[in-house]
Amino acid sequence: MDDPATLSGEAAARRQLDRVGAFSDGVFAVAITLLVLNIEVPRVSGDDLGSALDDLIPDIQAYFIAFAVIGLFWFGHHVAWSRFKATTRRLVWANLLLLSLIALMPFSTALIGKFDDEPIAITLFAVNVGLAAVADSFLDRIAYREGLIEDLEPREIRAQVIGGMIRPAIFFLSIPLAWVSVTAAQLLWLGLFATPAISRRIAGRY
Amino acid sequence: MDDPATLSGEAAARRQLDRVGAFSDGVFAVAITLLVLNIEVPRVSGDDLGSALDDLIPDIQAYFIAFAVIGLFWFGHHVAWSRFKATTRRLVWANLLLLSLIALMPFSTALIGKFDDEPIAITLFAVNVGLAAVADSFLDRIAYREGLIEDLEPREIRAQVIGGMIRPAIFFLSIPLAWVSVTAAQLLWLGLFATPAISRRIAGRY
Amino acid sequence: MDDPATLSGEAAARRQLDRVGAFSDGVFAVAITLLVLNIEVPRVSGDDLGSALDDLIPDIQAYFIAFAVIGLFWFGHHVAWSRFKATTRRLVWANLLLLSLIALMPFSTALIGKFDDEPIAITLFAVNVGLAAVADSFLDRIAYREGLIEDLEPREIRAQVIGGMIRPAIFFLSIPLAWVSVTAAQLLWLGLFATPAISRRIAGRY
Amino acid sequence: MDDPATLSGEAAARRQLDRVGAFSDGVFAVAITLLVLNIEVPRVSGDDLGSALDDLIPDIQAYFIAFAVIGLFWFGHHVAWSRFKATTRRLVWANLLLLSLIALMPFSTALIGKFDDEPIAITLFAVNVGLAAVADSFLDRIAYREGLIEDLEPREIRAQVIGGMIRPAIFFLSIPLAWVSVTAAQLLWLGLFATPAISRRIAGRY
C-alpha cells in the first residue's frame, strides 16, 4: 500500500497499467459469468420440468440483457485503457468505484429476472447501470485531466464527453418510464447500443 | 466505449488483441470452474451419506462432459486467437456472443445433471452447445473476411469451414435422437472429439 | 512442484514474478466479485419487494466496505509487486497465506451484513482483515530481507514499516470497541484510507 | 478448434504457452477462491450466533487444508510451466485433465467440511487429490518425452519422478487409514509439504 508516484520509468508505468487492466478484466469476467447463477435449475419432478422451464424465461432474458450491458462496459474500458500511458492513484480509485458498480450487477440483474414486472426492480437495475455509466465517464475525465491519454483528437474528446452524458441519461430517464411501462423502460436501454454512433455523429458536427 | 478503429500501430493492435483474449480466457476459466457448484453436498446425516453420494453420479458425469466441452471450445478459441493479427469491433461482438453462450453452460449442465433422463434437459444442453458452435464458426468467418488471420493455407480454411459445420450438426442432430434415447444422444456428442481429425481428413481430399 | 531457485536468468525470474502476480490478481478479482453473492434477492411477492429491499441495506453497506478493503489490499499488492525483481519460495508461500485471508473475506463480510449489530460478527471481520494486514506487512519484510526490492529509499522503507503496524492496529483495536459500539468500530476502519498519508508523514519526520 | 502444430515460430509458441498458463491460473484462482462458498453464514438469531459459529470450525479447517493443497498444485504448475518451451495438443489435454480435478476440489472440500468424521468423505477427498497428483506427474512426463522442457538436469528429473510417486502415494495410503482414524489420515496429508525436500534428498543420493 505504497505510493506509485515514486516509481519511475516508462516500463514500470506500463507494467502497472497492464496489471490494473488485468485486474479489471478479471472483475468484468467474473461478474459477467456469475450472471448465470441467477438462472436456477427448477426443483421439480421430471414431469413438471417443461412448465418450470417456462418460468425461467424472464431470468434468461435478464441474463442476456446484463451480459450485453457488462460486455459494453468492458469493451469501453478495454478501448479506453489501451490509450492510457500510465496510471495514477486517483485513476485507480475511480476504476475501483466503477468495478464495484459492475460487480453489483449480478444482484440487480437477479432482481429484474425474478421481479420482471415490478417498477422498483427496474429502477434499481437502472440506478446501478446509470451510476456505473457516471463512474465510467468520470474515469475518462480523470485520465484526460491528468494527461494520461495518448493521441486523442478534439473530435474524439467531444464524442467521449457526449457519450458520457447520453449513457447515464438513458438509464436515469428509464426510471420514471418504468412506473408507466416496464417494457418501455427496457426498450429505452437498447439506446445504449446506438450511443457510440450517435456521440460520434454529434461530435462530428462541430 | 470508443472506436478501436481510431487506434493506430501494430503494437496497439496486439495489445488490444491480447486483452480481448485475456478477458475471454477469464470467462472460459470462470465458467468451467463454476460447473462444480452444480454438485451439491448432500444435506443428510453421516449414516445416509453413502447412498446420497450415489445420487450425485449423474451430476459428476455432467461435470466431466461439460468440462470437456468448454475445454474444447477454449482450446479452439486459444488456437484461433493466436493467429489473429488484430481485432475489430465486429469480431469483439461476435466473441461476446460466443462467450454469453459459454457462460450459460453451467446452467444447462445443471439441467442434464439433475434431469439426466429427461429429453427436454438434453435438448436444452444441445441447443446451448450447438448455438455456441455456430457462434464459434461465425467468429472464424468474420476474422477471415476482415483479413485478420495470418498465414492460413487453403487446406486449413477448408478444414475450419468443415469443422464449423460438423460441430453444430452433432448437437442439433442429438436433439431428435434424445427423444428416442437419452444415452444415444449423449454418445453422439463424443463425435466432438473426432471432429478436428475428420475435418482435416475431408479437407485434405480436395 | 519443483524448486524455482534452480531457474536461472532475469527473464525467467520476471516471468515467474508476473505469473505469481497474475494468479494473485485472479484471487483478488474473484474474491472481490464474489462479495455480491452475499446480497440475496428476496423471495417474496412483488407487493412486499419494497420492504424486503430495505432489509438488504446492511448487506449492501457491507458489500461496499469489503469492496474498499479488498481494493486497498489489492492496490498495495500491485504496487509492491511492481517493485520486486524476483520471487522466492518463501515469498510465494507468504503470498498464499495473504491470499487465503483475502479469499476468506466474502464469508466474514456476509457475517457483518447479516448480523450488523452483533459485536461477534464485527470481531470476526476485524480478525480476518487484521490478520491479512499482518500477512501483508510480513510479505514486505520477506521481500526486503531477501533483497527482492528495487530502488527503495530509506524513507519509503520506514513508511512501509509504519504502515505495516498501523493497519493491523486499526483492526485489532476495533475489536474491543465493537463490544462498546458496533458503529464506532466500523468508523475506526475508515482510518485505513488515511494510513498511507499518515505513514509517509511520520516516516518523513526522521 | 484447429491444430496448433501448424503454427510456426518461437514467438507464437511462447504466446500459446503463456495463454495456456494464464487460463490454468484462472482455473486455479477461481477454484481456490470458490472454497469460501463452503463456509455458510448461519441462519440463526443473533443470540445463537456464538454457538452456530462453533459449528463452522470444521468448514474453516477444511478451507485452509484445501487452500494449501490447491496452492501447492498451483505452485508446482507455475514452476513447471516456466520451464516449458512450447505446448503440444497432448500437453494441453493432460493439463485440462489436471484442471478438471483441481476444479472439483471445492466439492470434495465441502464434503470433508460437512462430514468431518466420516471416512467416506475423507476417502473421496483423498481420491480427488490423489488423482490430481497422478495427472500432475503425467503432465511432467509428457512434457519430458515431447522434449518441451528447457535445461533440466538428470538430478532434477529424478526428483520430479520421485515426487510424482510420493504425492499420489500419500493420498491413496490415507484412504485405508481414514477407516481406522480420520485424524491420522488428515495428518498424513501434511507429508505433501515435505515432499519437495524428500524428493530432492532421495534424488541426490544416486
Side-chain angles (χ1 to χ4, degrees):
Chain A
M1 301 185 183
D2 319 281
D3 191 352
T6 55
L7 274 168
S8 66
E10 216 176 292
R14 185 60 81 187
R15 260 173 90 80
Q16 280 199 30
L17 188 66
D18 281 348
R19 213 184 141 188
V20 180
F23 174 74
S24 308
D25 272 353
V27 172
F28 277 109
V30 180
I32 214 169
T33 319
L34 286 184
L35 291 172
V36 75
L37 300 185
N38 292 331
I39 315 175
E40 283 171 87
V41 172
R43 301 194 173 269
V44 297
S45 72
D47 294 337
D48 300 331
L49 183 58
S51 65
L53 288 172
D54 279 352
D55 297 343
L56 293 181
I57 291 174
D59 286 307
I60 292 173
Q61 222 167 351
Y63 170 83
F64 283 105
I65 290 174
F67 205 98
V69 168
I70 299 183
L72 260 173
F73 273 96
W74 167 75
F75 184 59
H77 193 272
H78 123 94
V79 174
W81 223 254
S82 70
R83 278 171 174 164
F84 293 170
K85 283 180 292 193
T87 142
T88 60
R89 187 183 280 271
R90 200 171 293 175
L91 192 77
V92 170
W93 281 105
N95 190 45
L96 272 176
L97 180 67
L98 170 65
L99 294 178
S100 74
L101 292 160
I102 296 292
L104 198 56
M105 287 184 193
F107 165 69
S108 46
T109 304
L111 275 183
I112 60 167
K114 297 280 176 276
F115 300 96
D116 54 311
D117 45 11
E118 290 295 329
I120 197 168
I122 303 288
T123 298
L124 283 176
F125 184 82
V127 167
N128 187 351
V129 181
L131 289 176
V134 170
D136 202 36
S137 93
F138 194 56
L139 201 70
D140 278 346
R141 215 164 304 170
I142 288 174
Y144 178 67
R145 285 202 189 150
E146 307 207 341
L148 304 173
I149 308 180
E150 283 169 346
D151 316 320
L152 209 57
E153 288 174 35
R155 227 188 77 178
E156 290 179 83
I157 297 166
R158 281 200 306 272
Q160 246 183 33
V161 171
I162 294 163
M165 292 188 303
I166 295 178
R167 271 185 289 266
I170 287 173
F171 283 91
F172 292 133
L173 282 175
S174 77
I175 296 174
L177 196 58
W179 298 85
V180 181
S181 157
V182 158
T183 311
Q186 287 176 292
L187 288 175
L188 183 58
W189 298 344
L190 293 175
L192 200 61
F193 294 92
T195 307
I198 293 171
S199 314
R200 281 195 306 270
R201 173 79 59 95
I202 298 175
R205 280 205 199 136
Y206 303 96
Chain B
M1 301 186 183
D2 318 281
D3 190 352
T6 56
L7 274 167
S8 65
E10 217 176 292
R14 187 59 84 186
R15 261 174 90 80
Q16 280 199 31
L17 188 65
D18 281 348
R19 214 185 140 187
V20 180
F23 174 73
S24 308
D25 273 353
V27 172
F28 276 108
V30 180
I32 214 171
T33 319
L34 286 185
L35 291 172
V36 74
L37 299 184
N38 293 330
I39 316 175
E40 283 172 87
V41 171
R43 300 195 173 269
V44 297
S45 72
D47 294 337
D48 300 331
L49 183 57
S51 66
L53 288 171
D54 279 351
D55 296 343
L56 293 181
I57 291 173
D59 286 308
I60 292 172
Q61 223 166 350
Y63 170 83
F64 283 105
I65 290 174
F67 206 98
V69 168
I70 298 183
L72 261 172
F73 274 95
W74 166 76
F75 184 59
H77 193 273
H78 123 94
V79 174
W81 224 255
S82 69
R83 277 168 174 167
F84 294 169
K85 283 181 292 193
T87 142
T88 60
R89 187 183 281 269
R90 200 172 293 175
L91 192 77
V92 170
W93 281 106
N95 190 46
L96 273 175
L97 180 67
L98 170 64
L99 294 179
S100 73
L101 292 160
I102 297 292
L104 199 56
M105 288 184 192
F107 164 70
S108 46
T109 304
L111 275 184
I112 60 167
K114 298 280 176 277
F115 300 96
D116 55 312
D117 45 10
E118 290 295 328
I120 196 169
I122 303 289
T123 298
L124 283 175
F125 184 82
V127 167
N128 187 351
V129 181
L131 288 177
V134 170
D136 202 36
S137 92
F138 194 55
L139 202 69
D140 278 346
R141 215 164 304 170
I142 287 175
Y144 178 66
R145 285 204 189 149
E146 308 207 340
L148 305 173
I149 307 180
E150 284 169 346
D151 315 320
L152 208 57
E153 288 175 34
R155 228 190 75 179
E156 291 179 84
I157 297 166
R158 280 200 306 273
Q160 246 183 35
V161 172
I162 294 163
M165 292 187 304
I166 295 178
R167 272 184 289 266
I170 287 172
F171 285 91
F172 292 132
L173 282 175
S174 77
I175 295 173
L177 196 58
W179 298 84
V180 181
S181 158
V182 158
T183 311
Q186 287 176 291
L187 288 175
L188 183 58
W189 298 344
L190 293 176
L192 201 61
F193 294 92
T195 307
I198 294 171
S199 315
R200 281 194 306 270
R201 174 78 58 95
I202 298 175
R205 281 207 197 133
Y206 303 96
Chain C
M1 299 185 183
D2 319 280
D3 191 353
T6 55
L7 274 168
S8 66
E10 215 176 292
R14 185 60 81 186
R15 260 173 91 81
Q16 280 199 29
L17 189 66
D18 280 349
R19 216 187 137 186
V20 181
F23 174 74
S24 307
D25 272 354
V27 173
F28 277 109
V30 180
I32 214 170
T33 319
L34 285 185
L35 291 172
V36 74
L37 299 185
N38 293 331
I39 316 176
E40 283 170 88
V41 171
R43 300 194 173 269
V44 297
S45 72
D47 294 337
D48 300 330
L49 183 58
S51 65
L53 288 171
D54 279 351
D55 297 342
L56 292 181
I57 291 175
D59 285 306
I60 292 173
Q61 223 167 349
Y63 170 84
F64 283 105
I65 290 174
F67 205 98
V69 167
I70 298 183
L72 260 172
F73 273 96
W74 167 76
F75 183 59
H77 193 273
H78 124 94
V79 174
W81 223 254
S82 70
R83 277 169 174 166
F84 293 170
K85 283 181 291 194
T87 142
T88 60
R89 187 182 280 269
R90 199 172 293 175
L91 192 78
V92 169
W93 281 106
N95 190 45
L96 272 176
L97 180 67
L98 170 64
L99 294 179
S100 73
L101 292 160
I102 296 293
L104 199 56
M105 287 184 193
F107 165 70
S108 46
T109 304
L111 274 183
I112 60 167
K114 296 281 177 274
F115 300 96
D116 54 311
D117 45 10
E118 290 296 328
I120 197 169
I122 302 290
T123 298
L124 283 176
F125 184 82
V127 167
N128 187 352
V129 181
L131 288 177
V134 170
D136 202 37
S137 91
F138 195 55
L139 201 69
D140 278 345
R141 215 165 304 170
I142 288 174
Y144 178 66
R145 284 202 189 149
E146 307 207 341
L148 304 173
I149 308 181
E150 284 169 346
D151 315 320
L152 209 58
E153 289 175 34
R155 225 188 77 177
E156 291 179 83
I157 297 166
R158 281 201 304 272
Q160 246 183 33
V161 171
I162 293 163
M165 293 187 303
I166 295 178
R167 271 185 291 266
I170 287 172
F171 284 90
F172 292 133
L173 282 175
S174 77
I175 295 173
L177 196 59
W179 297 85
V180 181
S181 157
V182 158
T183 311
Q186 287 177 293
L187 288 175
L188 183 58
W189 298 344
L190 293 176
L192 200 61
F193 293 92
T195 308
I198 294 171
S199 314
R200 281 195 305 269
R201 173 78 58 96
I202 298 174
R205 279 206 200 135
Y206 303 96
Chain D
M1 301 186 182
D2 318 281
D3 191 352
T6 55
L7 274 167
S8 64
E10 217 175 292
R14 185 60 82 186
R15 259 174 92 80
Q16 280 200 30
L17 189 65
D18 281 348
R19 215 187 137 185
V20 180
F23 174 74
S24 307
D25 273 353
V27 173
F28 276 109
V30 180
I32 214 170
T33 319
L34 285 185
L35 291 172
V36 74
L37 299 185
N38 293 330
I39 316 174
E40 283 171 87
V41 171
R43 300 195 173 270
V44 297
S45 72
D47 294 336
D48 300 331
L49 183 58
S51 65
L53 287 172
D54 279 350
D55 296 342
L56 292 181
I57 291 174
D59 285 307
I60 292 172
Q61 223 166 350
Y63 170 83
F64 283 105
I65 291 174
F67 205 98
V69 167
I70 298 183
L72 261 173
F73 274 96
W74 167 76
F75 183 60
H77 194 273
H78 124 95
V79 174
W81 223 253
S82 69
R83 277 169 174 167
F84 293 169
K85 283 181 293 193
T87 143
T88 60
R89 187 183 279 268
R90 201 172 292 175
L91 192 77
V92 169
W93 281 106
N95 190 45
L96 272 176
L97 180 66
L98 170 65
L99 294 179
S100 73
L101 292 160
I102 296 293
L104 199 57
M105 288 184 192
F107 164 70
S108 46
T109 303
L111 274 184
I112 59 167
K114 297 281 176 275
F115 300 96
D116 55 312
D117 45 11
E118 289 295 329
I120 196 169
I122 303 289
T123 298
L124 283 175
F125 184 82
V127 167
N128 187 351
V129 181
L131 289 177
V134 170
D136 203 36
S137 91
F138 195 55
L139 201 69
D140 278 346
R141 215 164 305 170
I142 288 175
Y144 178 66
R145 285 203 189 150
E146 307 207 342
L148 304 173
I149 308 181
E150 283 170 345
D151 315 319
L152 209 56
E153 289 175 34
R155 225 188 76 177
E156 290 180 84
I157 296 166
R158 282 200 304 273
Q160 245 183 34
V161 171
I162 294 163
M165 293 187 303
I166 296 178
R167 271 185 291 265
I170 287 173
F171 283 90
F172 291 132
L173 282 175
S174 77
I175 295 173
L177 195 59
W179 298 84
V180 181
S181 158
V182 158
T183 311
Q186 287 176 291
L187 289 174
L188 183 57
W189 298 344
L190 293 175
L192 200 61
F193 294 92
T195 307
I198 293 171
S199 315
R200 281 195 305 270
R201 173 78 57 96
I202 298 175
R205 279 206 200 135
Y206 302 95

